[in-house]
Amino acid sequence: MSFYLECGKCGRRMEAVSGAALCPACAKPLLVRYDLSRLDGAALQEIWERRGCDEGMWRFREILPLREGEEPVTLGEGATPLLPLGRSDAGRRGDPDAGLDELALYVKDEGRNPTGSFKDRGLSAAVTRAALDGVTRFVVPSAGNAGVSLATYAARAGLPARVYLPVDTPVQVERRTRAAGGEVRQVEGLITDCGAAARRYARRTGAFDVSTLREPYRIEGKKTMMLEIVQALGWRAPDAIVYPTGGGTGLIGSWKALAELEALGIATGSGSTRMYAVQAEGCAPIVRAFREGWAEAEVWEEPETSAYGLRVPAALGDFLILRALRESGGGAVAVTDEEARLAAAELGRAGISASIEGGATLAAARQLRKEGLLADGEVVVLFNTAHALVY
Ligand SMILES: Cc1ncc(COP(=O)(O)O)c(C=O)c1O
């Protein structure tokens, strides 16, 4: 359906023109808006049920940035399982004090996506929109997974992509990016340095920069994770989610999905899901800002974590992440790499191949439970954002 863009900070509205990036007035991220009042929620719910999972995340196309008659660039991303962690798994989860087995705990297993991570959803949406709008080449800075994913979706669209990676990114990431035809440039520094290099390249060549939140469509792809969760729970929103937060697209997307479902009158409880961000102790700008009561986060100096997806010292959408955490009544916690790694291994023993970022969510749930923030019987969803093999 038709859509327009709205600044997440100053609220300025603009047409969804080709190559739309940041708000021209305040340089903050733009969000996609649909005229939801024109849609019949009950009819949509039926259509989405009927379509089933074969169309992946694009089965929600009525609230995705696709106009009448347009087709997406897709590899079947989405439609990942929502796996309950049963009582027997709870035993293996160890630490009986944490009492996780009293929760209705689920894992949204995003490792099943075409390139092994949830990045595929965002990049399918971003590459789709950009290709339809006439973009002819792409660039992205990446901690790893986004680069592989961009290279793959650009290849699918028949377009070239360049990926800037920190020099210490695991070698598998570089190989997989090249295998998908991506052009790799390694940067001595962090993701923020890669971002600066990507922007210089974009200015020089006209390549379209699909950096996190520098264009509005990756969030749209990511929001489908929450649409799927709500559908899998019988059109009921979870009580809480625990999300491994770097740039925050998935968290902001989940928050946006719930607001859209609420506006459509579809899911029960969509206004009451608490959102919890988990970050690494060695790079926790959002956790610090949440605890200090700041509206924006300060840059985290000298970030150190082997959860590469969480090694984001400054997020462009920090104010949106913090707003989502506070408005939802959620919060933010930091875990050590060791806790995250051990928890990823526990998920492995429950048959779920988890990246360290996915493991961080289980470690965080345990911490939240100890702090009394997750109550007995609550439906809590952990996001395993990537397969263990991605690194
Ligand atoms: C596996 C993994 N988990 C989590 C994240 C953080 O994602 P977001 O940008 O949605 O906060 C990333 C980002 O690179 C990632 O690769």
Side-chain angles (χ1 to χ4, degrees), residues 144-163:
N145 294 314
V148 176
S149 189
L150 172 68
T152 305
Y153 282 86
R156 191 74 181 159
L159 295 170
R162 179 180 280 205
V163 177

Side-chain angles (χ1 to χ4, degrees), residues 230-242:
V230 171
Q231 182 176 14
L233 293 172
W235 301 103
R236 178 192 184 286
D239 295 304
I241 64 166
V242 186

Side-chain angles (χ1 to χ4, degrees), residues 34 36 39 41 44-45 48-49 51-53 56-65 78-82 108 110 121 218-238 241 250-268 270 273 275 381 383:
Y34 309 87
L36 298 173
L39 295 173
L44 259 190
Q45 190 175 335
W48 292 342
E49 280 290 349
R51 278 189 194 139
C53 293
M57 72 171 204
W58 291 99
R59 70 185 183 279
F60 301 107
R61 58 169 58 210
E62 286 79 7
I63 54 169
L64 288 173
T80 58
L82 184 68
K108 180 67 173 162
E110 288 293 298
R121 297 180 188 259
R218 280 175 66 181
I219 287 186
E220 293 305 291
K222 290 273 192 85
K223 86 180 178 192
T224 61
M225 290 189 288
M226 182 55 93
L227 300 176
E228 289 178 8
I229 289 169
V230 171
Q231 182 176 14
L233 293 172
W235 301 103
R236 178 192 184 286
I241 64 166
L251 193 107
I252 299 166
S254 294
W255 180 52
K256 188 172 185 288
L258 289 171
E260 289 174 359
L261 289 176
E262 199 176 5
L264 289 166
I266 292 186
T268 48
S270 48
T273 301
M275 308 212 172
V381 177
F383 284 65

Side-chain angles (χ1 to χ4, degrees), residues 116-119 142-147 191 212-213 218 222 225 243-253 278-279 307-312 315 321 355-358 383-387 390-391:
S117 92
F118 71 148
K119 296 281 173 183
S142 174
N145 294 314
I191 180 88
T212 300
L213 296 184
R218 280 175 66 181
K222 290 273 192 85
M225 290 189 288
Y243 185 83
T245 306
T249 37
L251 193 107
I252 299 166
V278 50
Q279 297 198 299
Y308 297 98
L310 307 187
R311 205 170 53 159
V312 180
I321 301 170
S355 64
I356 180 168
E357 295 87 347
F383 284 65
N384 175 36
T385 42
H387 196 279
V390 293
Y391 300 135

Side-chain angles (χ1 to χ4, degrees), residues 4-7 10-15 23-24 30 33:
Y4 62 92
L5 304 175
E6 185 179 271
C7 176
C10 73
R12 179 183 168 138
R13 289 182 176 199
M14 55 179 276
E15 235 183 281
C23 171
L30 295 168
R33 298 291 183 211

Side-chain angles (χ1 to χ4, degrees), residues 40-386:
D40 174 345
L44 259 190
Q45 190 175 335
E46 251 184 62
I47 292 171
W48 292 342
E49 280 290 349
R50 214 174 29 242
R51 278 189 194 139
C53 293
D54 290 353
E55 293 179 52
M57 72 171 204
W58 291 99
R59 70 185 183 279
F60 301 107
R61 58 169 58 210
E62 286 79 7
I63 54 169
L64 288 173
L66 215 49
R67 299 193 181 93
E68 201 62 35
E70 291 178 338
E71 287 302 323
V73 176
T74 178
L75 290 160
E77 55 292 325
T80 58
L82 184 68
L83 302 169
L85 277 185
R87 280 186 169 263
S88 55
D89 306 319
R92 274 179 255 142
R93 273 180 256 145
D95 196 354
D97 296 336
L100 286 180
D101 48 351
E102 301 305 327
L103 299 174
L105 197 57
Y106 292 86
V107 176
K108 180 67 173 162
D109 191 10
E110 288 293 298
R112 315 287 188 93
N113 278 297
T115 75
S117 92
F118 71 148
K119 296 281 173 183
D120 291 342
R121 297 180 188 259
L123 285 150
S124 173
V127 168
T128 290
R129 199 59 259 156
L132 288 167
D133 289 343
V135 162
T136 55
R137 80 178 43 234
F138 294 96
V139 64
V140 81
S142 174
N145 294 314
V148 176
S149 189
L150 172 68
T152 305
Y153 282 86
R156 191 74 181 159
L159 295 170
R162 179 180 280 205
V163 177
Y164 286 91
L165 298 173
V167 75
D168 57 351
T169 306
V171 69
Q172 295 92 310
V173 169
E174 184 200 334
R175 287 198 193 125
R176 294 173 65 220
T177 306
R178 288 193 205 281
E183 192 189 355
V184 174
R185 288 289 180 276
Q186 291 181 321
V187 174
E188 210 55 72
L190 297 168
I191 180 88
T192 34
D193 303 297
C194 294
R199 286 194 287 286
R200 280 196 298 277
Y201 176 73
R203 272 197 299 277
R204 202 169 68 241
T205 63
F208 187 58
D209 182 358
V210 289
S211 298
T212 300
L213 296 184
R214 281 187 182 272
E215 60 76 59
Y217 302 111
R218 280 175 66 181
I219 287 186
E220 293 305 291
K222 290 273 192 85
K223 86 180 178 192
T224 61
M225 290 189 288
M226 182 55 93
L227 300 176
E228 289 178 8
I229 289 169
V230 171
Q231 182 176 14
L233 293 172
W235 301 103
R236 178 192 184 286
D239 295 304
I241 64 166
V242 186
Y243 185 83
T245 306
T249 37
L251 193 107
I252 299 166
S254 294
W255 180 52
K256 188 172 185 288
L258 289 171
E260 289 174 359
L261 289 176
E262 199 176 5
L264 289 166
I266 292 186
T268 48
S270 48
S272 57
T273 301
R274 306 190 307 282
M275 308 212 172
Y276 293 98
V278 50
Q279 297 198 299
E281 276 198 351
C283 182
I286 297 294
V287 179
R288 178 173 62 190
F290 182 82
R291 290 191 177 149
E292 297 292 333
W294 301 337
E296 290 176 12
E298 278 181 9
V299 178
W300 190 273
E301 302 296 341
E302 299 186 24
E304 235 188 88
T305 171
S306 49
Y308 297 98
L310 307 187
R311 205 170 53 159
V312 180
L316 195 55
D318 54 357
F319 67 101
L320 290 171
I321 301 170
L322 289 161
R323 206 192 287 165
L325 300 180
R326 293 196 177 108
E327 282 185 5
S328 72
V333 292
V335 300
T336 66
D337 282 12
E338 183 61 7
E339 286 167 332
R341 213 173 283 114
L342 288 173
E346 285 177 47
L347 287 171
R349 290 193 294 279
I352 300 171
S353 172
S355 64
I356 180 168
E357 295 87 347
T361 64
L362 178 56
R366 190 164 279 145
Q367 198 170 309
L368 291 167
R369 182 75 172 147
K370 274 188 182 142
E371 289 171 22
L373 294 168
L374 302 174
D376 283 4
E378 283 196 321
V379 175
V380 177
V381 177
L382 312 178
F383 284 65
N384 175 36
T385 42

